[in-house]
Amino acid sequence: MNTWKLTYRNFIPGNEPLREALTTLGNGYFGTRGAACESHASEIHYPGTYITGVYNKLPTKIFGKTIYNEDLVNCPNWLVFNYKINDGPWFSYLESKIMDYRVELNMNNGILTRRFRFKDNRGHITFVRHKRIVSMADPHIGSFCYTFTPENYSGKIMVRSGIDGEIKNEGIERYKELNNKHLKALSAGKFGKDGLYQQSRTTQGKIRISESIRTLFYEDNVQKYPKFKVIKNDKSYCSHEFSFNAKKGHHYNVEKLLSIYTSRDQGVPDDLKKAIEKVSQIENFNQVSRDHKAKWKAIWSRFDIEVTGDDFMQNVLRMHIFHLLQSASTHNEDIDAGMPARGLHGEAYRGHIFWDELYIFPFFNLHAPEITRAFLMYRYRRLEAAKAYAAMYGHKGAMFPWQSASTGEETTQAIHLNPLSGTWGPDYSFKQRHVSIAVAYNAWSYYYSTGDIDFLECYGAEIIVEVACFLSSITQYNKKTKRYEIKGVMGPDEYHEKYPDSEEGGLNNNAYTNIMAVWVIEKALLTLDHLLSKEASRALLLKTGIDGKELSRWRDIIHKMTVPISKNGIIHQFEGYMKLKELNWDKYREKSVQVCRIDRILKAEGKSPDEYKVSKQPDVLMLFYVLNMKELKFIFNQLGYRFGKNILKKNFDYYYPRTSHGSTLSIAVHSCITSLLNDNEKTMELFSIAMESDIHDIQGGSTNEGIHTGVMGATINIFLRVFAGLDVLEDRICIKPNLPEGWKSIKFQVRYKNIWFKFDINSSALKVKAEPMHKLTIRPSNVIPVVINKNVHKLHPEKTYTIIL
Ligand code: BGC
């Protein structure tokens, strides 16, 4: 097995949507699904192109109400390409006999190749090969090279190449009733001898999108200059055609070069002019390919994780790294956009940004923290919106929306379709106030692992303090219990939206939210009291309007927050959880293969998951994923609760059997939890399932609509935390490897406070080398501490050490 490749050896129409998502190419700026270039949107194909941060909001009248939805816009399709032989019909996969079909995504160099032979109904056999690139070297460039080789005939081949701006967001069946035409065509036309352009504008946000292409032609690798005929040229669609006399056995290459700019790009006053200029400067596909490959080579030299002894794991780890880097790369540093939960790979969740960043950022923090910083700046720029959102509900501080898109306003839909029952119901998921906790947690973790005090002082501290302020403002003091409480929120488990007999959404004292609120407030105090300079701290208090009274309240909350917990150490997911009914899991497992979405099954039966002890994903257990035992024990004890020795085991045994894993995130988190319980076998079993989430689309159709960036980040995080045993402390990193059975060795590097640590580990020895990024500051006396299996080792820079394990 080639662990750098994803290979598909047959054309199965029903499998195309999944393969298109998994073979998406992207560079953080834009992504294009791996749809065949000869295809157009249909039940089989969906050639979507998405530009990060390009959203548009549309109203739809439904059930007598007008609802608004904001979508990551499917942009004009630059792939448009087709051909016909000897005046026959245009090529179609369904109407030709397809032979020797093979699609290969090479993740090592970021090139997607589709090759096959086909026989048309007149018996012409043609070998074709399509190589595609979305340039990692220049985020505004894409290209493909299409090669024809007539095998049993000589004849005329006519080729059409163009841009289609007559595009809607139609990738998700269940959104089809909603308005989906986000683009207004502005202009299209030709330039030079071989160029075409198309410019559109989003209907609401008025973002201009300009695409320009050139089509080049080569006969047996010698460039020819055919005469192009512009075929259709209205504002939304343009294409040109040319034909050539193909000789049996000869090779004919048609190259398509693309440039994309939008009016959001910095330093680009005229996006169309820039797109035309850029594409005109490209020499050919080979030039794009050369630069692109060099860039991927440099990326992998830092980001790769090598596993010997398990090819499947190796392959999927690389796939997860590859797709995360295609969804967000260092090009994002200059872009105002967040990390979409489904990448730039499809239209699920409308391209919105959730709390999933919490699963993804640890990977970026340890490899390219500038990407995390860019995403945190996306949040920082929306702090005003988060404060307005809090104020709308009568709260103080910053309340980030559950789903975020362009403005930072709440974009969670108000009603939700149950595909099983075909009915719409209210959607309370916006009550997941823990998303603000995740934003503060991410800002803190970024600072903690990079030491970027400049970020903390200028932006991070303000995020953390504003979120702490919000959490304090939704906290009420209960005179009876003499404790603080948070009411009316949802935890990460989305199945419980409200109390069964209540009309209002939200639950009281969700343990995860309450404990994490204490954690955030604690960090806000630490930042103000100890990390910022006196002046910076004072300025921040002045800016945020937080006074001494509020700070005293914070100090009180961290000692008196409510955590619903039984004497036996079971933490209640929320107050009242223990009174809910038990579900007969066996009955549902017998009836349905898809128990993971038990919420939909119950709703279709006229019941509600609110009535049962059934969770979509870890809620109480999530605490053990985000915080370490020491931190949790500290918080519990400070609050006056017992943190018994077996607390994790007890809560795992209680909640795990009551969890349906309706989110791909669920299994990944549980695999991390079982590792804390030292259950290696279960850890590996769950980790393997998490690794299959997207490659095998374990939720049956979900990956077709976009990858799950959260689970991709989580699995890499688990690799680093659990199998490599990496622990990032404030002043050093620690490593305590625990290689799964069958893994012979692992090799990876992480960047911690501007030092690259290179590890090469097998069951008997660990090799480590520390490479500071600022070579000039290295002095012979410098030593870098690393804790290996609890022993401190002092490393001299650039020297490789071998430690016997
Ligand atoms: C999960 C959420 C997640 C969202 C986006 C949902 O299915 O329950 O936790 O944030 O997907 O990935």
Side-chain angles (χ1 to χ4, degrees):
M1 176 180 193
N2 184 327
T3 56
W4 282 106
K5 289 182 177 171
L6 276 190
T7 307
Y8 302 106
R9 293 191 171 80
N10 45 21
F11 175 72
I12 302 173
N15 288 354
E16 280 299 289
L18 173 63
R19 295 176 180 182
E20 287 180 357
L22 292 175
T23 58
T24 294
L25 294 180
N27 55 23
Y29 177 81
F30 81 100
T32 295
R33 284 170 63 90
C37 59
E38 309 90 342
S39 71
H40 49 263
S42 67
E43 272 177 21
I44 302 168
H45 301 287
Y46 195 70
T49 286
Y50 310 95
I51 303 177
T52 196
V54 174
Y55 292 95
N56 193 59
K57 190 155 139 186
L58 284 179
T60 303
K61 262 204 163 154
I62 197 158
F63 299 137
K65 272 210 264 178
T66 302
I67 59 165
Y68 288 85
N69 281 298
E70 190 171 1
D71 287 78
L72 182 65
V73 176
N74 183 13
C75 293
N77 177 16
W78 65 278
L79 297 177
V80 174
F81 187 86
N82 211 333
Y83 42 89
K84 51 182 171 183
I85 301 163
N86 284 336
D87 294 324
W90 292 104
F91 170 79
S92 140
Y93 281 91
L94 297 182
E95 274 149 41
S96 315
K97 186 170 183 316
I98 306 290
M99 300 172 284
D100 309 327
Y101 182 84
R102 189 180 170 102
V103 173
E104 196 171 87
L105 172 65
N106 184 339
M107 298 180 285
N108 190 249
N109 60 18
I111 294 183
L112 174 65
T113 307
R114 176 181 268 103
R115 65 187 80 151
F116 57 92
R117 289 162 69 236
F118 72 93
K119 190 180 194 176
D120 67 13
N121 55 13
R122 298 183 200 178
H124 302 123
I125 298 177
T126 315
F127 171 77
V128 296
R129 193 189 62 193
H130 167 95
K131 279 189 170 194
R132 186 185 302 172
I133 287 171
V134 166
S135 173
M136 202 39 118
D138 184 328
H140 298 280
I141 289 180
S143 183
F144 67 69
C145 173
Y146 206 104
T147 307
F148 298 89
T149 310
E151 289 196 350
N152 64 348
Y153 68 98
S154 294
K156 189 175 99 179
I157 297 183
M158 176 179 273
V159 172
R160 175 179 288 177
S161 164
I163 309 169
D164 182 5
E166 198 49 58
I167 291 290
K168 291 182 183 163
N169 273 55
E170 296 177 303
I172 313 275
E173 189 56 36
R174 59 189 176 281
Y175 299 164
K176 279 206 173 138
E177 293 189 27
L178 306 170
N179 273 339
N180 55 11
K181 182 142 177 51
H182 295 287
L183 295 173
K184 180 180 171 5
L186 295 182
S187 63
K190 58 177 240 165
F191 64 89
K193 288 197 172 115
D194 51 14
L196 295 172
Y197 68 87
Q198 198 279 333
Q199 189 184 40
S200 297
R201 192 181 65 198
T202 58
T203 55
Q204 168 259 335
K206 311 268 183 278
I207 303 169
R208 289 188 313 273
I209 300 153
S210 294
E211 295 186 7
S212 59
I213 59 129
R214 282 172 59 217
T215 309
L216 312 183
F217 176 60
Y218 297 80
E219 262 182 38
D220 289 325
N221 298 324
V222 180
Q223 188 165 6
K224 303 281 161 172
Y225 300 91
K227 249 194 130 30
F228 289 95
K229 187 168 153 211
V230 177
I231 290 303
K232 190 172 171 216
N233 182 8
D234 56 32
K235 284 181 185 174
S236 61
Y237 183 102
C238 56
S239 63
H240 52 203
E241 281 178 9
F242 72 96
S243 33
F244 57 93
N245 291 319
K247 285 185 229 120
K248 187 172 147 188
H250 289 253
H251 308 296
Y252 302 90
N253 285 356
V254 183
E255 296 183 355
K256 189 163 180 175
L257 312 173
L258 160 82
S259 174
I260 303 188
Y261 279 88
T262 78
S263 52
R264 293 182 85 239
D265 293 326
Q266 294 187 39
V268 180
D270 185 338
D271 41 287
L272 180 58
K273 186 164 167 246
K274 183 76 186 170
I276 292 174
E277 253 170 41
K278 172 65 61 91
V279 82
S280 307
Q281 285 158 6
I282 308 173
E283 209 178 300
N284 52 26
F285 176 85
N286 275 344
Q287 181 208 352
V288 178
S289 171
R290 217 169 32 240
D291 298 349
H292 171 73
K293 282 181 180 165
K295 187 67 197 242
W296 268 111
K297 194 168 175 208
I299 290 174
W300 283 116
S301 74
R302 288 301 191 189
F303 284 79
D304 192 22
I305 288 177
E306 287 178 52
V307 173
T308 44
D310 192 330
D311 283 356
F312 173 76
M313 293 294 177
Q314 171 68 87
N315 186 232
V316 180
L317 272 171
R318 283 184 171 143
M319 187 185 97
H320 288 183
I321 298 169
F322 182 73
H323 281 310
L324 284 182
L325 289 172
Q326 294 204 114
S327 308
S329 70
T330 47
H331 297 305
N332 291 61
E333 266 183 83
D334 292 332
I335 306 175
D336 177 38
M339 180 71 178
R342 308 302 284 273
L344 298 172
H345 298 57
E347 291 166 13
Y349 284 131
R350 306 174 192 290
H352 291 173
I353 298 123
F354 294 66
W355 74 316
D356 303 44
E357 296 173 328
L358 176 143
Y359 298 89
I360 300 159
F361 289 175
F363 166 64
F364 289 144
N365 286 343
L366 290 171
H367 290 86
E370 50 278 13
I371 301 178
T372 311
R373 187 177 160 126
F375 286 144
L376 289 170
M377 289 310 295
Y378 160 85
R379 295 292 193 176
Y380 181 78
R381 287 184 206 103
R382 284 149 188 83
L383 202 53
E384 279 306 311
K387 284 163 76 175
Y389 190 34
M392 207 170 107
Y393 280 83
H395 307 314
K396 290 194 188 129
M399 177 166 97
F400 285 93
W402 171 239
Q403 295 188 30
S404 187
S406 63
T407 61
E409 285 163 23
E410 181 61 80
T411 52
T412 307
Q413 56 198 1
I415 53 174
H416 193 81
L417 179 71
N418 178 350
L420 287 189
S421 63
T423 53
W424 293 82
D427 189 329
Y428 294 114
S429 59
F430 70 95
K431 294 224 162 222
Q432 293 185 71
R433 303 301 182 213
H434 65 88
V435 62
S436 297
I437 293 172
V439 175
Y441 176 90
N442 291 337
W444 172 261
S445 309
Y446 165 79
Y447 160 71
Y448 192 74
S449 90
T450 58
D452 185 350
I453 188 75
D454 169 59
F455 170 80
L456 189 74
E457 190 170 315
C458 298
Y459 315 106
E462 194 176 340
I463 295 179
I464 296 167
V465 164
E466 288 288 11
V467 172
C469 180
F470 158 66
L471 293 167
S472 154
S473 102
I474 58 167
T475 304
Q476 298 149 18
Y477 187 68
N478 181 331
K479 283 191 188 140
K480 257 202 213 146
T481 60
K482 297 199 173 57
R483 283 196 175 270
Y484 288 90
E485 322 185 297
I486 297 178
K487 292 187 169 175
V489 301
M490 275 174 66
D493 156 36
E494 298 186 319
Y495 287 172
H496 293 101
E497 299 181 321
K498 60 182 191 59
Y499 288 103
D501 47 3
S502 169
E503 290 295 310
E504 267 176 51
L507 302 147
N508 302 338
N509 290 320
N510 167 256
Y512 176 79
T513 307
N514 286 17
I515 293 170
M516 291 307 292
V518 170
W519 183 89
V520 173
I521 294 174
E522 194 95 62
K523 292 298 176 239
L525 288 169
L526 176 70
T527 306
L528 288 166
D529 293 346
H530 300 293
L531 300 178
L532 299 185
S533 64
K534 275 218 172 80
E535 298 77 64
S537 184
R538 217 173 297 133
L540 184 54
L541 288 175
L542 213 62
K543 185 172 184 189
T544 52
I546 289 162
D547 56 16
K549 204 170 143 211
E550 176 66 2
L551 291 177
S552 312
R553 185 180 149 79
W554 291 9
R555 294 204 168 89
D556 207 31
I557 291 175
I558 60 174
H559 287 94
K560 295 188 190 148
M561 180 64 97
T562 304
V563 178
I565 182 167
S566 296
K567 283 213 178 73
N568 63 4
I570 303 293
I571 304 165
H572 303 188
Q573 191 172 311
F574 51 82
E575 216 166 73
Y577 177 90
M578 289 302 160
K579 289 194 200 130
L580 302 181
K581 292 186 274 190
E582 292 286 359
L583 186 83
N584 185 344
W585 287 91
D586 292 341
K587 184 179 117 192
Y588 285 99
R589 284 208 179 94
E590 268 166 33
K591 276 207 302 200
S592 168
V593 276
Q594 283 281 352
V595 271
C596 66
R597 289 316 303 259
I598 188 76
D599 59 325
R600 291 178 179 162
I601 300 175
L602 288 170
K603 283 181 185 168
E605 287 178 356
K607 297 175 187 152
S608 161
D610 289 326
E611 301 163 33
Y612 296 93
K613 289 180 181 172
V614 28
S615 301
K616 180 179 185 185
Q617 62 204 76
D619 199 303
V620 165
L621 294 178
M622 192 62 200
L623 287 165
F624 298 86
Y625 181 81
V626 286
L627 302 184
N628 64 40
M629 288 301 209
K630 231 165 114 189
E631 285 175 297
L632 278 170
K633 188 168 192 289
F634 176 81
I635 293 177
F636 269 71
N637 291 346
Q638 183 169 267
L639 292 173
Y641 293 107
R642 226 176 84 73
F643 191 77
K645 231 178 151 198
N646 290 328
I647 192 162
L648 175 57
K649 171 90 175 91
K650 282 182 184 167
N651 281 280
F652 177 80
D653 289 347
Y654 189 83
Y655 285 105
Y656 179 67
R658 292 174 173 83
T659 306
S660 78
H661 312 299
S663 160
T664 53
L665 296 168
S666 183
I667 293 273
V669 173
H670 279 104
S671 132
C672 192
I673 303 294
T674 51
S675 80
L676 296 171
L677 293 169
N678 298 320
D679 187 343
N680 289 344
E681 209 174 300
K682 192 81 187 157
T683 301
M684 201 52 193
E685 180 196 322
L686 295 175
F687 182 70
S688 308
I689 301 174
M691 292 291 276
E692 287 182 30
S693 302
D694 276 332
I695 197 162
H696 293 157
D697 182 28
I698 60 172
Q699 294 204 329
S702 173
T703 305
N704 301 356
E705 303 171 344
I707 55 157
H708 298 82
T709 52
V711 75
M712 292 194 170
T715 48
I716 302 170
N717 191 26
I718 292 169
F719 169 88
L720 294 171
R721 260 167 83 169
V722 176
F723 303 132
L726 196 72
D727 193 8
V728 176
L729 303 185
E730 205 170 357
D731 59 346
R732 62 193 60 188
I733 58 170
C734 311
I735 190 152
K736 193 167 173 278
N738 179 23
L739 297 199
E741 238 182 79
W743 290 21
K744 294 203 180 83
S745 66
I746 57 176
K747 221 168 153 182
F748 62 96
Q749 38 190 310
V750 290
R751 178 174 151 190
Y752 170 75
K753 302 208 164 134
N754 291 331
I755 300 172
W756 280 102
F757 289 89
K758 288 184 157 181
F759 292 102
D760 185 348
I761 306 170
N762 61 34
S763 55
S764 52
L766 179 150
K767 278 190 192 156
V768 56
K769 183 176 169 195
E771 289 179 356
M773 290 172 75
H774 307 297
K775 301 246 166 173
L776 288 178
T777 58
I778 306 176
R779 268 174 243 115
S781 58
N782 287 154
V783 284
I784 301 158
V786 178
V787 182
I788 301 169
N789 277 348
K790 295 201 172 155
N791 301 317
V792 183
H793 294 259
K794 292 190 171 154
L795 313 183
H796 285 276
E798 310 290 350
K799 251 185 88 178
T800 302
Y801 292 78
T802 303
I803 285 98
I804 303 302
L805 297 173

